[in-house]
PDB file of all heavy atoms in Angstrom:
ATOM      1  N   VAL B1026      10.485  24.277  29.860  1.00 91.00           N
ATOM      2  CA  VAL B1026       9.781  23.687  31.042  1.00 91.00           C
ATOM      3  C   VAL B1026      10.449  22.199  31.186  1.00 91.00           C
ATOM      4  O   VAL B1026      10.420  21.403  30.311  1.00 91.00           O
ATOM      5  CB  VAL B1026       8.324  23.591  30.779  1.00 91.00           C
ATOM      6  CG1 VAL B1026       7.601  23.064  32.042  1.00 91.00           C
ATOM      7  CG2 VAL B1026       7.675  24.857  30.317  1.00 91.00           C
ATOM      8  N   TYR B1027      10.718  21.920  32.503  1.00 83.00           N
ATOM      9  CA  TYR B1027      11.374  20.607  32.785  1.00 83.00           C
ATOM     10  C   TYR B1027      10.575  19.947  33.856  1.00 83.00           C
ATOM     11  O   TYR B1027       9.844  20.579  34.610  1.00 83.00           O
ATOM     12  CB  TYR B1027      12.838  20.769  33.199  1.00 83.00           C
ATOM     13  CG  TYR B1027      13.601  21.509  32.142  1.00 83.00           C
ATOM     14  CD1 TYR B1027      14.165  22.716  32.540  1.00 83.00           C
ATOM     15  CD2 TYR B1027      13.916  20.987  30.888  1.00 83.00           C
ATOM     16  CE1 TYR B1027      14.988  23.469  31.753  1.00 83.00           C
ATOM     17  CE2 TYR B1027      14.631  21.830  30.010  1.00 83.00           C
ATOM     18  CZ  TYR B1027      15.147  22.869  30.434  1.00 83.00           C
ATOM     19  OH  TYR B1027      15.908  23.614  29.527  1.00 83.00           O
ATOM     20  N   SER B1028      10.603  18.606  33.861  1.00 83.00           N
ATOM     21  CA  SER B1028       9.889  17.851  34.911  1.00 83.00           C
ATOM     22  C   SER B1028      10.243  18.266  36.295  1.00 83.00           C
ATOM     23  O   SER B1028       9.414  18.223  37.246  1.00 83.00           O
ATOM     24  CB  SER B1028      10.133  16.333  34.632  1.00 83.00           C
ATOM     25  OG  SER B1028       9.597  15.982  33.489  1.00 83.00           O
ATOM     26  N   SER B1029      11.470  18.593  36.465  1.00 85.00           N
ATOM     27  CA  SER B1029      11.942  19.027  37.693  1.00 85.00           C
ATOM     28  C   SER B1029      11.592  20.371  38.154  1.00 85.00           C
ATOM     29  O   SER B1029      11.749  20.958  39.269  1.00 85.00           O
ATOM     30  CB  SER B1029      13.446  18.934  37.902  1.00 85.00           C
ATOM     31  OG  SER B1029      13.986  19.733  36.735  1.00 85.00           O
ATOM     32  N   GLY B1030      10.928  20.974  37.155  1.00 86.00           N
ATOM     33  CA  GLY B1030      10.502  22.539  37.420  1.00 86.00           C
ATOM     34  C   GLY B1030      11.732  23.430  37.351  1.00 86.00           C
ATOM     35  O   GLY B1030      12.902  23.081  37.457  1.00 86.00           O
ATOM     36  N   ASN B1031      11.400  24.573  36.728  1.00 91.00           N
ATOM     37  CA  ASN B1031      12.504  25.545  36.627  1.00 91.00           C
ATOM     38  C   ASN B1031      12.003  27.008  36.823  1.00 91.00           C
ATOM     39  O   ASN B1031      10.853  27.315  36.695  1.00 91.00           O
ATOM     40  CB  ASN B1031      13.176  25.424  35.286  1.00 91.00           C
ATOM     41  CG  ASN B1031      12.255  25.459  34.128  1.00 91.00           C
ATOM     42  OD1 ASN B1031      11.442  24.635  34.030  1.00 91.00           O
ATOM     43  ND2 ASN B1031      12.488  26.506  33.151  1.00 91.00           N
ATOM     44  N   GLU B1032      12.943  27.790  37.333  1.00 93.00           N
ATOM     45  CA  GLU B1032      12.529  29.204  37.817  1.00 93.00           C
ATOM     46  C   GLU B1032      13.352  30.140  37.208  1.00 93.00           C
ATOM     47  O   GLU B1032      14.605  29.878  36.887  1.00 93.00           O
ATOM     48  CB  GLU B1032      12.759  29.237  39.360  1.00 93.00           C
ATOM     49  CG  GLU B1032      12.105  30.467  39.918  1.00 93.00           C
ATOM     50  CD  GLU B1032      12.232  30.331  41.549  1.00 93.00           C
ATOM     51  OE1 GLU B1032      11.787  29.378  42.061  1.00 93.00           O
ATOM     52  OE2 GLU B1032      12.761  31.285  42.103  1.00 93.00           O
ATOM     53  N   ASP B1033      12.922  31.304  36.767  1.00 93.00           N
ATOM     54  CA  ASP B1033      13.683  32.291  36.181  1.00 93.00           C
ATOM     55  C   ASP B1033      13.134  33.682  36.734  1.00 93.00           C
ATOM     56  O   ASP B1033      12.101  34.214  36.266  1.00 93.00           O
ATOM     57  CB  ASP B1033      13.612  32.424  34.666  1.00 93.00           C
ATOM     58  CG  ASP B1033      14.437  33.348  34.067  1.00 93.00           C
ATOM     59  OD1 ASP B1033      15.187  34.090  34.816  1.00 93.00           O
ATOM     60  OD2 ASP B1033      14.446  33.613  32.773  1.00 93.00           O
ATOM     61  N   GLY B1034      13.705  34.125  37.868  1.00 96.00           N
ATOM     62  CA  GLY B1034      13.220  35.254  38.549  1.00 96.00           C
ATOM     63  C   GLY B1034      11.906  35.047  39.122  1.00 96.00           C
ATOM     64  O   GLY B1034      11.629  34.164  39.910  1.00 96.00           O
ATOM     65  N   ARG B1035      10.939  35.951  38.612  1.00 97.00           N
ATOM     66  CA  ARG B1035       9.586  35.842  39.134  1.00 97.00           C
ATOM     67  C   ARG B1035       8.785  34.730  38.492  1.00 97.00           C
ATOM     68  O   ARG B1035       7.542  34.471  38.741  1.00 97.00           O
ATOM     69  CB  ARG B1035       8.916  37.121  38.837  1.00 97.00           C
ATOM     70  CG  ARG B1035       9.534  38.364  39.653  1.00 97.00           C
ATOM     71  CD  ARG B1035       8.766  39.645  39.372  1.00 97.00           C
ATOM     72  NE  ARG B1035       8.959  40.089  37.893  1.00 97.00           N
ATOM     73  CZ  ARG B1035       7.910  40.048  37.067  1.00 97.00           C
ATOM     74  NH1 ARG B1035       6.790  39.625  37.412  1.00 97.00           N
ATOM     75  NH2 ARG B1035       8.194  40.569  35.899  1.00 97.00           N
ATOM     76  N   PHE B1036       9.249  34.104  37.532  1.00 97.00           N
ATOM     77  CA  PHE B1036       8.629  33.053  36.666  1.00 97.00           C
ATOM     78  C   PHE B1036       9.037  31.730  37.101  1.00 97.00           C
ATOM     79  O   PHE B1036      10.224  31.321  37.233  1.00 97.00           O
ATOM     80  CB  PHE B1036       8.860  33.239  35.288  1.00 97.00           C
ATOM     81  CG  PHE B1036       8.405  34.604  34.664  1.00 97.00           C
ATOM     82  CD1 PHE B1036       9.305  35.676  34.879  1.00 97.00           C
ATOM     83  CD2 PHE B1036       7.259  34.710  33.974  1.00 97.00           C
ATOM     84  CE1 PHE B1036       8.737  36.944  34.302  1.00 97.00           C
ATOM     85  CE2 PHE B1036       6.730  35.930  33.560  1.00 97.00           C
ATOM     86  CZ  PHE B1036       7.555  37.064  33.729  1.00 97.00           C
ATOM     87  N   THR B1037       7.989  30.802  37.301  1.00 96.00           N
ATOM     88  CA  THR B1037       8.319  29.392  37.493  1.00 96.00           C
ATOM     89  C   THR B1037       7.483  28.567  36.654  1.00 96.00           C
ATOM     90  O   THR B1037       6.252  28.771  36.492  1.00 96.00           O
ATOM     91  CB  THR B1037       7.910  29.013  38.881  1.00 96.00           C
ATOM     92  OG1 THR B1037       8.621  29.841  39.875  1.00 96.00           O
ATOM     93  CG2 THR B1037       8.176  27.571  39.252  1.00 96.00           C
ATOM     94  N   ALA B1038       8.128  27.592  35.931  1.00 96.00           N
ATOM     95  CA  ALA B1038       7.450  26.553  35.017  1.00 96.00           C
ATOM     96  C   ALA B1038       7.519  25.156  35.577  1.00 96.00           C
ATOM     97  O   ALA B1038       8.520  24.858  36.143  1.00 96.00           O
ATOM     98  CB  ALA B1038       7.952  26.750  33.738  1.00 96.00           C
ATOM     99  N   GLN B1039       6.464  24.419  35.481  1.00 95.00           N
ATOM    100  CA  GLN B1039       6.458  23.055  35.829  1.00 95.00           C
ATOM    101  C   GLN B1039       5.794  22.176  34.866  1.00 95.00           C
ATOM    102  O   GLN B1039       4.940  22.743  34.078  1.00 95.00           O
ATOM    103  CB  GLN B1039       5.499  23.164  37.078  1.00 95.00           C
ATOM    104  CG  GLN B1039       5.778  21.882  38.089  1.00 95.00           C
ATOM    105  CD  GLN B1039       6.874  22.094  38.945  1.00 95.00           C
ATOM    106  OE1 GLN B1039       7.152  23.150  39.457  1.00 95.00           O
ATOM    107  NE2 GLN B1039       7.642  21.030  39.264  1.00 95.00           N
ATOM    108  N   LEU B1040       6.256  21.014  34.829  1.00 95.00           N
ATOM    109  CA  LEU B1040       5.742  19.880  33.901  1.00 95.00           C
ATOM    110  C   LEU B1040       5.234  18.759  34.724  1.00 95.00           C
ATOM    111  O   LEU B1040       5.849  18.253  35.525  1.00 95.00           O
ATOM    112  CB  LEU B1040       6.819  19.647  32.817  1.00 95.00           C
ATOM    113  CG  LEU B1040       6.477  18.295  32.104  1.00 95.00           C
ATOM    114  CD1 LEU B1040       5.334  18.519  31.100  1.00 95.00           C
ATOM    115  CD2 LEU B1040       7.800  17.890  31.311  1.00 95.00           C
ATOM    116  N   ASN B1041       3.992  18.358  34.399  1.00 93.00           N
ATOM    117  CA  ASN B1041       3.479  17.150  34.939  1.00 93.00           C
ATOM    118  C   ASN B1041       3.237  16.178  33.908  1.00 93.00           C
ATOM    119  O   ASN B1041       2.200  16.200  33.210  1.00 93.00           O
ATOM    120  CB  ASN B1041       2.176  17.362  35.789  1.00 93.00           C
ATOM    121  CG  ASN B1041       1.749  16.213  36.497  1.00 93.00           C
ATOM    122  OD1 ASN B1041       1.695  14.957  36.107  1.00 93.00           O
ATOM    123  ND2 ASN B1041       1.247  16.403  37.850  1.00 93.00           N
TER     124      ASN B1041
END
Side-chain angles (χ1 to χ4, degrees):
Chain B
V1026 189
Y1027 306 115
S1028 297
S1029 56
N1031 50 304
E1032 189 173 309
D1033 182 2
R1035 298 180 292 108
F1036 298 82
T1037 301
Q1039 200 84 38
L1040 166 65
N1041 185 318

